[in-house]
Short mmCIF file of all heavy atoms in Angstrom, two decimals:
data_model
loop_
_atom_site.label_atom_id
_atom_site.label_comp_id
_atom_site.label_asym_id
_atom_site.label_seq_id
_atom_site.Cartn_x
_atom_site.Cartn_y
_atom_site.Cartn_z
N GLY A 35 54.85 -27.17 -132.54
CA GLY A 35 56.00 -26.45 -133.10
C GLY A 35 55.66 -25.78 -134.41
O GLY A 35 55.27 -26.45 -135.37
N ILE A 38 60.02 -24.24 -139.23
CA ILE A 38 59.99 -24.61 -140.65
C ILE A 38 59.20 -25.90 -140.85
O ILE A 38 58.33 -26.00 -141.71
CB ILE A 38 61.44 -24.79 -141.18
CG1 ILE A 38 62.15 -23.44 -141.18
CG2 ILE A 38 61.45 -25.40 -142.58
CD1 ILE A 38 63.62 -23.51 -141.51
N CYS A 39 59.50 -26.90 -140.03
CA CYS A 39 58.88 -28.21 -140.25
C CYS A 39 57.38 -28.20 -139.93
O CYS A 39 56.57 -28.73 -140.69
CB CYS A 39 59.60 -29.25 -139.38
SG CYS A 39 59.12 -30.90 -139.80
N GLU A 58 52.34 -23.34 -131.25
CA GLU A 58 53.70 -22.76 -131.18
C GLU A 58 53.84 -22.02 -129.85
O GLU A 58 53.01 -21.18 -129.51
CB GLU A 58 53.92 -21.83 -132.36
CG GLU A 58 55.12 -20.90 -132.24
CD GLU A 58 56.46 -21.61 -132.00
OE1 GLU A 58 56.74 -22.60 -132.71
OE2 GLU A 58 57.20 -21.19 -131.10
N LYS A 59 54.92 -22.32 -129.15
CA LYS A 59 55.06 -21.73 -127.80
C LYS A 59 55.37 -20.23 -127.83
O LYS A 59 54.97 -19.51 -126.92
CB LYS A 59 56.11 -22.48 -126.99
CG LYS A 59 57.52 -22.34 -127.46
CD LYS A 59 58.47 -23.09 -126.53
CE LYS A 59 59.89 -23.02 -127.04
NZ LYS A 59 60.81 -23.81 -126.28
N ARG A 64 58.86 -17.61 -134.78
CA ARG A 64 60.26 -17.40 -134.39
C ARG A 64 61.14 -17.26 -135.63
O ARG A 64 61.40 -18.23 -136.33
CB ARG A 64 60.75 -18.57 -133.55
CG ARG A 64 60.21 -18.48 -132.12
CD ARG A 64 60.74 -19.58 -131.27
NE ARG A 64 62.18 -19.65 -131.32
CZ ARG A 64 62.86 -20.66 -130.78
NH1 ARG A 64 62.24 -21.63 -130.18
NH2 ARG A 64 64.18 -20.67 -130.85
N ILE A 70 68.64 -18.86 -144.07
CA ILE A 70 68.82 -20.30 -144.18
C ILE A 70 69.09 -20.65 -145.64
O ILE A 70 68.39 -20.16 -146.54
CB ILE A 70 67.59 -21.06 -143.62
CG1 ILE A 70 67.80 -22.56 -143.68
CG2 ILE A 70 66.29 -20.68 -144.33
CD1 ILE A 70 66.89 -23.33 -142.74
N GLY A 71 70.12 -21.45 -145.86
CA GLY A 71 70.46 -21.87 -147.23
C GLY A 71 69.52 -23.00 -147.64
O GLY A 71 69.42 -24.00 -146.94
N ARG A 123 64.79 -16.33 -142.97
CA ARG A 123 63.87 -17.25 -142.28
C ARG A 123 62.48 -16.61 -142.15
O ARG A 123 61.47 -17.28 -142.24
CB ARG A 123 64.41 -17.62 -140.90
CG ARG A 123 65.53 -18.65 -140.98
CD ARG A 123 66.04 -19.03 -139.61
NE ARG A 123 67.28 -19.77 -139.75
CZ ARG A 123 67.44 -21.07 -139.50
NH1 ARG A 123 66.44 -21.78 -139.04
NH2 ARG A 123 68.59 -21.65 -139.66
N CYS A 143 51.30 -21.04 -127.27
CA CYS A 143 50.75 -22.27 -126.69
C CYS A 143 51.90 -23.26 -126.44
O CYS A 143 52.36 -23.95 -127.37
CB CYS A 143 49.72 -22.86 -127.66
SG CYS A 143 48.95 -24.34 -127.01
N HIS A 144 52.37 -23.30 -125.22
CA HIS A 144 53.53 -24.11 -124.86
C HIS A 144 53.06 -25.47 -124.34
O HIS A 144 52.37 -25.54 -123.32
CB HIS A 144 54.33 -23.37 -123.79
CG HIS A 144 55.65 -24.00 -123.50
ND1 HIS A 144 56.53 -23.50 -122.59
CD2 HIS A 144 56.25 -25.10 -124.02
CE1 HIS A 144 57.61 -24.26 -122.55
NE2 HIS A 144 57.46 -25.24 -123.41
N ILE A 145 53.42 -26.52 -125.04
CA ILE A 145 53.04 -27.86 -124.58
C ILE A 145 54.11 -28.35 -123.62
O ILE A 145 55.30 -28.44 -123.97
CB ILE A 145 52.91 -28.83 -125.79
CG1 ILE A 145 51.84 -28.34 -126.76
CG2 ILE A 145 52.60 -30.25 -125.31
CD1 ILE A 145 50.47 -28.08 -126.12
N CYS A 173 56.97 -31.36 -134.21
CA CYS A 173 57.93 -30.59 -135.02
C CYS A 173 58.53 -29.54 -134.09
O CYS A 173 58.65 -28.37 -134.44
CB CYS A 173 57.22 -29.92 -136.19
SG CYS A 173 56.44 -31.07 -137.32
N ASP A 174 58.84 -29.96 -132.87
CA ASP A 174 59.19 -29.00 -131.83
C ASP A 174 60.70 -28.93 -131.58
O ASP A 174 61.14 -28.63 -130.47
CB ASP A 174 58.42 -29.30 -130.53
CG ASP A 174 58.40 -30.77 -130.15
OD1 ASP A 174 58.71 -31.62 -131.02
OD2 ASP A 174 58.09 -31.09 -129.00
N PHE A 196 78.96 -18.58 -132.63
CA PHE A 196 79.06 -17.62 -133.72
C PHE A 196 77.98 -16.56 -133.69
O PHE A 196 76.90 -16.74 -133.13
CB PHE A 196 79.17 -18.25 -135.11
CG PHE A 196 78.34 -19.47 -135.36
CD1 PHE A 196 77.15 -19.38 -136.02
CD2 PHE A 196 78.80 -20.73 -134.97
CE1 PHE A 196 76.42 -20.51 -136.29
CE2 PHE A 196 78.07 -21.86 -135.23
CZ PHE A 196 76.86 -21.75 -135.89
N ARG A 198 75.54 -14.17 -135.93
CA ARG A 198 74.90 -14.17 -137.26
C ARG A 198 74.12 -12.88 -137.44
O ARG A 198 73.61 -12.32 -136.47
CB ARG A 198 73.90 -15.32 -137.37
CG ARG A 198 74.50 -16.66 -137.20
CD ARG A 198 73.49 -17.76 -137.46
NE ARG A 198 72.51 -17.91 -136.41
CZ ARG A 198 71.53 -18.80 -136.45
NH1 ARG A 198 71.39 -19.60 -137.48
NH2 ARG A 198 70.67 -18.91 -135.45
N GLY A 317 61.48 -33.22 -138.67
CA GLY A 317 62.42 -32.09 -138.57
C GLY A 317 63.47 -32.35 -137.49
O GLY A 317 63.85 -33.50 -137.23
N ASP A 318 63.91 -31.26 -136.85
CA ASP A 318 64.97 -31.39 -135.85
C ASP A 318 64.56 -32.30 -134.69
O ASP A 318 65.42 -32.89 -134.04
CB ASP A 318 65.36 -30.01 -135.30
CG ASP A 318 66.40 -29.32 -136.17
OD1 ASP A 318 66.60 -29.78 -137.32
OD2 ASP A 318 67.02 -28.34 -135.71
N SER A 325 74.47 -27.16 -138.14
CA SER A 325 74.61 -26.35 -139.36
C SER A 325 75.68 -26.91 -140.29
O SER A 325 76.00 -26.31 -141.30
CB SER A 325 75.02 -24.93 -138.94
OG SER A 325 76.16 -25.00 -138.12
N GLY A 328 74.30 -27.76 -143.72
CA GLY A 328 73.22 -26.86 -144.18
C GLY A 328 72.05 -27.61 -144.78
O GLY A 328 71.50 -27.20 -145.81
N GLN A 329 71.65 -28.71 -144.14
CA GLN A 329 70.56 -29.52 -144.70
C GLN A 329 69.40 -29.72 -143.74
O GLN A 329 68.38 -30.30 -144.13
CB GLN A 329 71.11 -30.88 -145.15
CG GLN A 329 71.58 -30.90 -146.58
CD GLN A 329 70.45 -30.73 -147.59
OE1 GLN A 329 69.37 -31.22 -147.41
NE2 GLN A 329 70.71 -30.00 -148.65
N GLY A 330 69.54 -29.28 -142.49
CA GLY A 330 68.47 -29.53 -141.51
C GLY A 330 67.13 -28.98 -141.95
O GLY A 330 66.09 -29.63 -141.83
N GLY A 331 67.15 -27.76 -142.52
CA GLY A 331 65.90 -27.12 -142.93
C GLY A 331 65.29 -27.82 -144.14
O GLY A 331 64.08 -28.10 -144.17
N SER A 332 66.12 -28.12 -145.14
CA SER A 332 65.59 -28.78 -146.34
C SER A 332 65.11 -30.19 -146.01
O SER A 332 64.10 -30.66 -146.55
CB SER A 332 66.66 -28.82 -147.43
OG SER A 332 66.91 -27.51 -147.90
C1 LIG B 501 73.56 -21.95 -136.88
C2 LIG B 501 72.68 -22.80 -137.72
C3 LIG B 501 72.67 -22.61 -139.09
C4 LIG B 501 71.86 -23.43 -139.89
N1 LIG B 501 71.88 -23.24 -141.25
C5 LIG B 501 71.10 -24.02 -142.02
C6 LIG B 501 71.07 -23.84 -143.44
O1 LIG B 501 71.75 -22.96 -143.99
N2 LIG B 501 70.27 -24.66 -144.17
C7 LIG B 501 69.50 -25.63 -143.58
O2 LIG B 501 68.75 -26.32 -144.31
N3 LIG B 501 69.50 -25.81 -142.25
C8 LIG B 501 70.27 -25.04 -141.47
N4 LIG B 501 70.25 -25.22 -140.12
C9 LIG B 501 69.36 -26.21 -139.52
C10 LIG B 501 67.93 -25.66 -139.48
O3 LIG B 501 67.90 -24.39 -138.88
C11 LIG B 501 67.01 -26.60 -138.69
O4 LIG B 501 67.22 -27.90 -139.13
C12 LIG B 501 65.55 -26.22 -138.89
O5 LIG B 501 65.31 -24.93 -138.38
C13 LIG B 501 64.67 -27.25 -138.20
O6 LIG B 501 63.34 -26.80 -138.24
P1 LIG B 501 62.28 -27.41 -137.22
O7 LIG B 501 60.98 -26.76 -137.57
O8 LIG B 501 62.37 -28.89 -137.21
O9 LIG B 501 62.76 -26.96 -135.78
P2 LIG B 501 62.84 -25.47 -135.17
O10 LIG B 501 63.25 -24.49 -136.21
O11 LIG B 501 63.68 -25.58 -133.94
O12 LIG B 501 61.34 -25.12 -134.75
C14 LIG B 501 60.76 -25.75 -133.62
C15 LIG B 501 59.59 -24.87 -133.19
O13 LIG B 501 58.89 -25.54 -132.15
C16 LIG B 501 58.59 -24.63 -131.12
N5 LIG B 501 58.50 -25.42 -129.89
C17 LIG B 501 59.49 -26.09 -129.27
N6 LIG B 501 59.03 -26.74 -128.19
C18 LIG B 501 57.70 -26.47 -128.13
C19 LIG B 501 56.67 -26.84 -127.22
N7 LIG B 501 56.94 -27.65 -126.19
N8 LIG B 501 55.41 -26.38 -127.42
C20 LIG B 501 55.13 -25.57 -128.50
N9 LIG B 501 56.09 -25.17 -129.37
C21 LIG B 501 57.34 -25.62 -129.20
C22 LIG B 501 59.77 -23.66 -131.12
O14 LIG B 501 59.43 -22.43 -130.53
C23 LIG B 501 60.05 -23.53 -132.62
O15 LIG B 501 59.30 -22.49 -133.20
C24 LIG B 501 71.07 -24.42 -139.30
C25 LIG B 501 71.07 -24.62 -137.91
C26 LIG B 501 71.88 -23.81 -137.13
C27 LIG B 501 71.89 -24.04 -135.64
#
Side-chain angles (χ1 to χ4, degrees):
I38 293 173
C39 191
E58 166 56 47
K59 68 178 177 186
R64 283 183 53 189
I70 183 160
R123 283 182 192 250
C143 182
H144 189 179
I145 300 306
C173 299
D174 46 343
F196 39 99
R198 300 186 287 180
D318 275 15
S325 54
Q329 270 293 323
S332 292

